[in-house]
Amino acid sequence: MNKPVTRRSGGRDARRALRRAPLAQDLRPIRAGLAGGTYKPLSDIDVLRIHRAALDALEQIGLADAPQSGIDAMTKAGATLGDDGRLRFPRALVEDMLDLAAKEITLFSRDGKNDLELSGNRVHYGTAGAAVHLVDPEHNDYRDCTVQDLFDAAKIANTLDNVHFFQRPMVCRDIVDNYEMDLNTIYACARGTTKHIGTSFSDPSYVDGALKFVYEIAGGEDKFRARPFISNTNCFVVPPMKFATESSEAMEKCIHGGMPILLLSAGQSGATAPASIAGAIVQAVAECLAGIVYVNSIAPGHPAIFGTWPFVSDLRTGAMSGGSGEQALLTAGCAQMHKYYGIPGGAAAGIADSKLPDMQAGYEQAQSNVMAGLAGLNMVYESVGMHASLLGFCLESMIIGNDMLGQALRAVRGIDVSEDNLSIETMRSVCEDGPGHYLGSEQTLNLMQTEYVYPEIADRSSPKEWMENQKPLLLTQAIKAKRRILSNQSSAEFPPELDAALRKMVKIHLD
Amino acid sequence: MNKPVTRRSGGRDARRALRRAPLAQDLRPIRAGLAGGTYKPLSDIDVLRIHRAALDALEQIGLADAPQSGIDAMTKAGATLGDDGRLRFPRALVEDMLDLAAKEITLFSRDGKNDLELSGNRVHYGTAGAAVHLVDPEHNDYRDCTVQDLFDAAKIANTLDNVHFFQRPMVCRDIVDNYEMDLNTIYACARGTTKHIGTSFSDPSYVDGALKFVYEIAGGEDKFRARPFISNTNCFVVPPMKFATESSEAMEKCIHGGMPILLLSAGQSGATAPASIAGAIVQAVAECLAGIVYVNSIAPGHPAIFGTWPFVSDLRTGAMSGGSGEQALLTAGCAQMHKYYGIPGGAAAGIADSKLPDMQAGYEQAQSNVMAGLAGLNMVYESVGMHASLLGFCLESMIIGNDMLGQALRAVRGIDVSEDNLSIETMRSVCEDGPGHYLGSEQTLNLMQTEYVYPEIADRSSPKEWMENQKPLLLTQAIKAKRRILSNQSSAEFPPELDAALRKMVKIHLD
């Protein structure tokens, strides 16, 4: 049984020749924005119950700690401020603001080649996070990450087909001054990749300067406002149910500056969110609905992504854990809530608890990424490179993970049940008159590039080939690929004049 | 952002104490037979179209090469034998036989502790395959596998909670005589584990002797027939659309001997099955429907698992490849067809193309296992330990994979949206009066064991703890666990009298 067909010559040359021919973008089996939605962890009734519980929480518990500007805007829209300082939201207000909210959001790329259209079940994978360590698998070690690491990560992401956006995944720990850090983060990301960038600001007072910096990269404020290629990842709440006062102020400034917002609620079940998966989703949904009220009370229709990012605690220790089935369910359940509201949403998947890019990391990252994609999550954040429960980022892992995301995207694309694919005629000719196999059939040749994804770095050789090839290790291949990418100039590099202009605006810590 | 909550003392001792208490089996978050079905890669209409195409294929193309005994039984039931030697199946015959077919099947364990109830969306993970190599990750090497390796694998499977059955995953290549190999395979499996066993026979003439051997282990033919703890993995077809004459004869003997059958159709898309995913499913379904007709024309209601196992070819080379999104879709799509027929079914998932238990293996194995489980596949074969596109089996990988399956099972269990879990009251008390976090809340304590799965070997330590702990490698931990398990006696070991009796029946190649 299970005797694999190993090597056959029939049609092989033809297949090889075909494989060499480039394929039009729209014929490729996978690409950004494929539609998921075949996986629904919640029943329709469960979705409604979560929605109602979130409305109850907003009406009865509300959120504390809004800045005065936010209180003014939201009470004007219909929220009520209690004596306990908590802002409460009547159902009708939430529903009105959901009507106003942006339902289709384009996240622009700087060069127009990788714009992301967020709506429905369209799936996009990318990086995110605030790792404090670079994982060095060459030396089995962790060290503080730097602006150079961030630039390297951006350069690598720029070359990886299945990494669709680059939200800052790690913190530049070599830059002491926080203002410099924030602007250098933008500099390193944008110089490394033309894909859409996400970043955050340490202090609301930094936003004006950062916006000027971003406008300079865009070639002018009007150009940025027309195609904002950087969005603000904003932790506007401190779960449970409190606004993050300073981040909220930063958010207001970003909105006024024309920057899309990622409304990020990052509770941790059993610690800063309820321990039950359903309860953690309720709280995240309630918090993001408050964010929708906030944004739309200031600027109706401003692009804001519904960023329910509930995480998991290992309840034995209270420590964060991201590589579990519970995490995958949290994320997939949130995706379903986004559809219910019809608002583009994102959540975290692909987090490994493992410290290294090993088998544990592989299965941890795959499970949540696959489930997020099948659930039709628009923005799958932290999908690649993330280790140690978000504390470490790994460049080699990102390269290996690109293939993982390719296979996840293939699953998102799903099964094409067309008349042609049902194949009765092909089956008949093969069985009744033909060679008894499908290797050289026209259908096989037609489908080999449009139905099948071939990995870039993953090894599919036979044991015999693998041994003849000196038993290559996956990690060694990833290290080679990393060096090759980093030795090339990025297509995103700034023109010298722009680079000089940016260096006049702030001290740049990258050569 | 994303600052993980690391270490808190609140409630920690209480949680640790609770964690030490054993949990009743039915309260544990995961177990065999959890119900999937939340993922549906096919629409209802697509399911119907595949069904109809399969019926067309059976009626118009039919299957060649049935043995005379099978031709006799199936033509008596209503099949027609064409001049071309192909047996064709009218729709009404297929529908009648589907009515007769077993809808609920129990796969018994030898000790009654791990019986598997197959029906609906109930999911079970286990081993399977016919690997010819043992993967030795200690020395980064492949070697021929032996009966000792098979015994070791069975012993390990016996201790792994999330490996629910043990179908023979590798071939005893140190045994030259095929009859001895078949009986030693049974011996090694049954002496290693009391979980349900699957095996196959090289020649129909071996079945009588093998049945006697099995009855001896059971303590008598009547005991085996009452609780058959070994089933016959039967490749009754050679795709495309041909009966495997000798295997079919062996199947008939197994049916008469009281052994459940796994009707295994293992086509390879683009080689021995259509290159389109939908077409490969059609062919596998057609072949297994023919198997259902075959079994039920001989013994109505005899337990037979609908074993649609379509595999994927890497169409560039024609070689087998199992670690892809296409493979995961094939398997999940088949699971949906099993539900349509209401017949317990199985398919292959968890295959790594990677040669070693590395990150590639992790994501390859996780994707198809997770998708199979969410689709509600009753029997997930080859879910653990399988490398090199089925050519290599790895003991360490099986141990690491047990944790992977635990997280997949957690996802299968899904999200419990009960009133308690919606948590508004807990949220209110935490936010309005309480400590502002959920760490010590009653709900958290209640859910920590019933909602959360804790890995056995996977590492969730922080980078600091990991470094203090001398940066343990996952593989090293797996090797240690393997040695610990293998140094203990298996709970499945035969009593001396039984062992002696078995050794009189055939030369046993295991000490």
Side-chain angles (χ1 to χ4, degrees):
Chain A
M1 56 172 280
N2 312 343
K3 284 277 164 62
V5 176
T6 44
R7 294 284 171 269
R8 299 216 182 156
S9 57
R12 191 177 181 182
D13 289 345
R15 292 194 303 276
R16 290 235 156 128
L18 193 64
R19 170 85 185 125
R20 278 193 294 271
L23 205 62
Q25 182 70 26
D26 61 338
L27 288 179
R28 290 172 63 188
I30 53 170
R31 52 194 173 271
L34 288 170
T38 46
Y39 167 50
K40 291 184 178 164
L42 299 168
S43 69
D44 290 349
I45 289 170
D46 288 344
V47 168
L48 265 183
R49 295 174 76 197
I50 288 173
H51 166 60
R52 287 182 191 143
L55 288 185
D56 285 346
L58 285 171
E59 201 162 51
Q60 297 168 28
I61 304 171
L63 277 78
D65 296 347
Q68 192 56 48
S69 52
I71 292 173
D72 292 347
M74 289 185 270
T75 53
K76 194 175 164 199
T80 57
L81 185 66
D83 294 340
D84 55 0
R86 302 187 77 89
L87 209 51
R88 293 184 174 79
F89 304 81
R91 279 162 199 250
L93 169 62
V94 177
E95 283 158 10
D96 287 351
M97 291 301 179
L98 280 169
D99 280 348
L100 290 179
K103 307 295 187 303
E104 296 186 356
I105 296 174
T106 301
L107 294 182
F108 293 95
S109 55
R110 201 161 97 244
D111 62 1
K113 290 182 186 160
N114 288 287
D115 295 356
L116 311 179
E117 307 284 348
L118 313 190
S119 67
N121 286 304
R122 290 168 60 89
V123 177
H124 309 85
Y125 288 101
T127 60
V132 292
H133 298 289
L134 187 88
V135 183
D136 174 5
E138 286 196 62
H139 304 95
N140 193 25
D141 206 6
Y142 273 56
R143 63 165 173 77
D144 288 358
C145 43
T146 67
V147 67
Q148 179 69 47
D149 296 328
L150 181 63
F151 177 57
D152 290 348
K155 270 182 80 170
I156 292 170
N158 203 42
T159 70
L160 300 177
D161 277 349
N162 306 318
V163 177
H164 303 136
F165 59 90
F166 188 72
Q167 191 158 303
R168 173 274 328 256
M170 52 188 156
V171 175
C172 304
R173 292 185 71 189
D174 53 339
I175 305 180
V176 178
D177 180 89
N178 280 344
Y179 180 72
E180 287 182 10
M181 184 184 75
D182 284 358
L183 269 63
N184 274 265
T185 296
I186 295 168
Y187 177 91
C189 292
R191 197 179 130 188
T193 182
T194 51
K195 295 183 182 179
H196 188 81
I197 290 165
T199 192
S200 65
F201 302 112
S202 313
D203 192 291
S205 68
Y206 299 169
V207 175
D208 289 340
L211 282 169
K212 278 187 197 141
F213 194 75
V214 167
Y215 297 156
E216 183 71 34
I217 297 174
E221 180 174 343
D222 54 335
K223 292 214 170 104
F224 181 78
R225 286 180 178 272
R227 297 181 43 88
F229 56 85
I230 299 182
S231 53
N232 174 226
T233 306
N234 197 295
C235 284
F236 73 106
V237 284
V238 179
M241 304 296 275
K242 292 193 294 291
F243 284 105
T245 316
E246 295 211 332
S247 293
S248 295
E249 288 168 351
M251 178 174 80
E252 293 186 27
K253 291 194 172 219
C254 289
I255 293 171
H256 296 310
M259 202 176 259
I261 302 295
L262 164 59
L263 289 167
L264 206 164
S265 151
Q268 203 179 307
S269 67
T272 55
S276 74
I277 293 174
I281 296 175
V282 167
Q283 183 178 297
V285 165
E287 289 167 345
C288 283
L289 286 173
I292 289 290
V293 171
Y294 198 158
V295 171
N296 288 281
S297 70
I298 292 175
H302 186 84
I305 296 166
F306 206 82
T308 47
W309 288 30
F311 292 118
V312 165
S313 303
D314 187 311
L315 294 179
R316 298 169 300 181
T317 59
M320 154 94 198
S321 157
S324 62
E326 296 91 4
Q327 179 66 62
L329 285 167
L330 276 171
T331 293
C334 285
Q336 231 180 309
M337 296 309 300
H338 308 162
K339 313 297 143 210
Y340 176 71
Y341 296 117
I343 294 184
I351 305 159
D353 292 326
S354 180
K355 262 50 69 191
L356 296 170
D358 56 11
M359 184 164 158
Q360 178 187 341
Y363 75 70
E364 290 180 326
Q365 293 189 6
Q367 174 164 11
S368 53
N369 275 322
V370 166
M371 287 168 62
L374 294 176
L377 184 67
N378 298 135
M379 294 289 281
V380 188
Y381 296 102
E382 320 207 80
S383 67
V384 71
M386 269 298 178
H387 291 264
S389 317
L390 299 183
L391 292 173
F393 190 79
C394 178
L395 302 176
E396 291 83 357
S397 176
M398 186 167 50
I399 291 168
I400 296 169
N402 179 59
D403 276 338
M404 168 188 68
L405 294 179
Q407 299 304 338
L409 280 162
R410 182 60 189 86
V412 170
R413 181 182 142 152
I415 302 172
D416 178 14
V417 188
S418 62
E419 279 307 317
D420 277 356
N421 282 350
L422 287 176
S423 307
I424 285 297
E425 287 318 310
T426 303
M427 200 184 294
R428 193 199 312 277
S429 69
V430 163
C431 293
E432 292 190 335
D433 327 307
H437 66 74
Y438 298 82
L439 281 167
S441 83
E442 195 187 332
Q443 188 193 45
T444 300
L445 291 172
N446 286 341
L447 295 179
M448 68 172 291
Q449 284 184 287
T450 57
E451 282 254 327
Y452 289 85
V453 175
Y454 302 98
E456 295 284 331
I457 188 169
D459 188 314
R460 288 185 170 179
S461 64
S462 69
K464 182 166 173 290
E465 290 168 316
W466 180 71
M467 282 186 268
E468 285 167 1
N469 206 13
Q470 274 81 50
K471 306 191 271 196
L473 295 176
L474 180 68
L475 185 58
T476 310
Q477 302 302 101
I479 291 167
K480 271 189 212 166
K482 176 190 77 169
R483 290 183 182 155
R484 191 176 60 241
I485 296 165
L486 295 182
S487 68
N488 294 329
Q489 202 181 30
S490 166
S491 66
E493 278 281 353
F494 299 137
E497 329 73 80
L498 172 57
D499 195 75
L502 294 171
R503 286 174 191 273
K504 277 187 197 149
M505 298 175 80
V506 70
K507 181 183 171 189
I508 295 298
H509 292 252
L510 201 61
D511 290 335
Chain B
M1 56 173 280
N2 312 343
K3 284 278 164 60
V5 175
T6 44
R7 295 283 170 272
R8 298 218 181 154
S9 57
R12 190 177 182 183
D13 290 344
R15 292 194 304 276
R16 289 237 159 128
L18 193 65
R19 170 86 185 122
R20 278 194 295 271
L23 206 61
Q25 181 69 27
D26 61 338
L27 288 179
R28 291 170 63 187
I30 53 169
R31 52 193 174 271
L34 289 169
T38 45
Y39 167 50
K40 292 184 177 164
L42 299 167
S43 69
D44 291 349
I45 289 170
D46 288 344
V47 167
L48 264 182
R49 295 173 76 196
I50 287 172
H51 167 60
R52 286 181 193 145
L55 288 185
D56 285 346
L58 285 171
E59 201 162 51
Q60 297 168 27
I61 304 171
L63 277 80
D65 296 348
Q68 190 57 49
S69 52
I71 292 173
D72 293 346
M74 289 185 269
T75 53
K76 194 175 163 197
T80 57
L81 185 67
D83 293 340
D84 56 0
R86 301 186 78 89
L87 209 51
R88 293 184 172 81
F89 305 80
R91 281 163 196 248
L93 168 63
V94 176
E95 283 158 10
D96 287 351
M97 291 300 179
L98 281 168
D99 280 348
L100 291 179
K103 306 295 188 303
E104 296 187 356
I105 296 174
T106 301
L107 294 182
F108 293 96
S109 55
R110 201 160 97 243
D111 62 1
K113 290 181 185 160
N114 288 287
D115 295 356
L116 311 179
E117 307 283 349
L118 314 190
S119 67
N121 286 304
R122 291 169 59 88
V123 177
H124 309 85
Y125 289 101
T127 60
V132 292
H133 298 290
L134 187 89
V135 183
D136 174 6
E138 287 194 63
H139 304 94
N140 193 25
D141 205 7
Y142 273 55
R143 62 165 172 76
D144 288 358
C145 43
T146 66
V147 66
Q148 179 69 47
D149 296 327
L150 181 63
F151 177 57
D152 289 349
K155 271 182 80 170
I156 292 169
N158 203 42
T159 70
L160 300 177
D161 277 349
N162 305 319
V163 178
H164 303 137
F165 59 89
F166 188 72
Q167 190 157 304
R168 174 263 306 174
M170 52 189 155
V171 175
C172 305
R173 293 185 72 191
D174 52 340
I175 305 180
V176 178
D177 180 88
N178 281 344
Y179 180 72
E180 287 181 10
M181 183 184 75
D182 283 359
L183 269 64
N184 273 266
T185 296
I186 295 169
Y187 177 92
C189 292
R191 196 178 130 189
T193 183
T194 52
K195 295 183 181 178
H196 188 81
I197 289 165
T199 192
S200 65
F201 302 112
S202 312
D203 192 291
S205 69
Y206 299 169
V207 177
D208 289 340
L211 282 169
K212 278 187 197 144
F213 193 76
V214 167
Y215 297 156
E216 183 72 33
I217 297 173
E221 180 174 342
D222 54 334
K223 292 214 169 103
F224 181 77
R225 285 180 179 272
R227 297 180 44 86
F229 56 86
I230 299 182
S231 53
N232 175 226
T233 307
N234 196 294
C235 284
F236 73 106
V237 285
V238 179
M241 304 297 276
K242 291 193 295 290
F243 284 105
T245 316
E246 295 211 331
S247 294
S248 295
E249 288 168 349
M251 178 175 81
E252 292 187 28
K253 290 194 173 218
C254 288
I255 292 172
H256 296 311
M259 203 177 257
I261 302 295
L262 163 59
L263 289 166
L264 206 164
S265 151
Q268 202 180 308
S269 67
T272 56
S276 74
I277 293 174
I281 295 176
V282 167
Q283 184 178 297
V285 165
E287 289 167 344
C288 283
L289 286 174
I292 290 290
V293 171
Y294 198 157
V295 170
N296 288 281
S297 71
I298 292 175
H302 185 84
I305 296 166
F306 206 83
T308 47
W309 288 31
F311 292 117
V312 165
S313 303
D314 187 311
L315 294 178
R316 298 170 299 182
T317 59
M320 154 94 198
S321 156
S324 62
E326 297 90 5
Q327 178 66 63
L329 286 168
L330 275 171
T331 293
C334 285
Q336 231 180 309
M337 296 309 299
H338 307 163
K339 314 297 143 211
Y340 176 72
Y341 296 118
I343 295 185
I351 305 160
D353 292 327
S354 181
K355 261 50 70 190
L356 296 170
D358 56 11
M359 183 164 159
Q360 179 188 339
Y363 74 70
E364 290 180 326
Q365 294 189 6
Q367 174 164 11
S368 53
N369 275 321
V370 166
M371 287 168 61
L374 294 176
L377 185 66
N378 297 135
M379 294 287 281
V380 188
Y381 297 103
E382 321 207 80
S383 67
V384 70
M386 269 300 179
H387 291 265
S389 317
L390 300 183
L391 292 173
F393 190 78
C394 178
L395 302 176
E396 291 82 357
S397 175
M398 187 167 51
I399 291 168
I400 297 168
N402 180 58
D403 277 338
M404 167 189 68
L405 295 179
Q407 299 304 337
L409 279 162
R410 181 63 189 86
V412 170
R413 181 181 143 153
I415 302 172
D416 178 15
V417 188
S418 62
E419 278 307 318
D420 276 357
N421 281 351
L422 288 175
S423 308
I424 285 298
E425 287 318 309
T426 303
M427 202 184 293
R428 192 199 314 277
S429 68
V430 162
C431 293
E432 292 191 338
D433 327 307
H437 65 75
Y438 298 81
L439 281 168
S441 83
E442 195 188 332
Q443 187 192 46
T444 300
L445 290 172
N446 287 340
L447 296 179
M448 68 173 292
Q449 283 185 287
T450 56
E451 283 253 328
Y452 289 84
V453 175
Y454 302 98
E456 296 284 331
I457 189 169
D459 188 313
R460 287 185 170 180
S461 64
S462 69
K464 182 165 173 290
E465 291 167 314
W466 180 71
M467 281 186 268
E468 286 167 359
N469 206 13
Q470 274 81 53
K471 307 191 271 196
L473 295 176
L474 179 68
L475 185 58
T476 311
Q477 302 302 101
I479 292 167
K480 272 189 211 166
K482 176 189 78 170
R483 290 182 183 156
R484 191 176 60 242
I485 295 165
L486 295 183
S487 68
N488 293 330
Q489 202 182 29
S490 166
S491 66
E493 277 283 352
F494 299 137
E497 329 74 80
L498 172 58
D499 196 73
L502 295 171
R503 285 174 190 273
K504 276 187 196 148
M505 298 175 81
V506 70
K507 182 183 171 189
I508 295 297
H509 292 252
L510 202 60
D511 292 334

